Amino acid sequence: HVQLVESGGGSVQAGGSLRLACKVSGHLRGCMTWFRRPPGKEREGVATIYPRTGRTFYADSVKGRFTISHDNDKNTLCLQMDMLEPEDTAMYYCAASSSFPGRVIRTEEVRYWGQGTQVTVS
């Protein structure tokens, strides 16, 4: 069983930065993903990383602004968010999947979810 606990959300002005963290308890052979659900919209995948290789995938909307990383020693997933825009306002979720599709993971491919952390950009 895997447990995911996010932290680091908050409010920031446009152009600012935030760093999200997700503490992972347990072990899952697969990939880790950050999702977000903007107000009134569907949940969408933002970035995926394969911890064993470090390979990453990003949604077009965040390429060049967001960076996903995984600290294998601390078993912690991070999302560095720079040049934030009001459109980035959303609940952000950490997710774990046992699949390896070679792209950003889709919601139906997620096996474990975190509880979410709110990011508000004004």
Side-chain angles (χ1 to χ4, degrees):
H1 185 68
V2 174
Q3 289 187 315
L4 308 171
V5 180
E6 301 98 332
S7 62
S11 297
V12 65
Q13 291 188 336
S17 298
L18 279 174
R19 185 176 180 87
L20 305 182
C22 173
K23 180 62 179 175
V24 182
S25 299
H27 178 72
L28 181 71
R29 179 184 173 88
C31 58
M32 302 291 299
T33 300
W34 284 100
F35 283 82
R36 66 184 181 187
R37 188 197 299 265
K41 296 184 179 181
E42 297 290 322
R43 187 150 43 184
E44 60 183 5
V46 173
T48 291
I49 187 168
Y50 291 86
R52 287 179 177 261
T53 65
R55 191 173 181 189
T56 58
F57 302 89
Y58 294 91
D60 288 343
S61 58
V62 305
K63 279 181 182 177
R65 301 188 299 120
F66 289 12
T67 304
I68 188 171
S69 61
H70 183 267
D71 185 323
N72 291 328
D73 291 336
K74 297 180 180 179
N75 207 9
T76 299
L77 179 72
C78 293
L79 185 68
Q80 177 66 39
M81 304 184 293
D82 298 317
M83 296 181 285
L84 282 161
E85 304 168 351
E87 292 74 23
D88 296 316
T89 294
M91 183 71 79
Y92 283 72
Y93 299 89
C94 173
S97 170
S98 55
S99 59
F100 298 86
R103 50 165 169 71
V104 176
I105 289 293
R106 300 186 180 121
T107 55
E108 60 268 25
E109 297 169 315
V110 172
R111 187 169 177 184
Y112 299 101
W113 290 99
Q115 82 287 352
T117 186
Q118 178 67 37
V119 171
T120 302
V121 185
S122 59

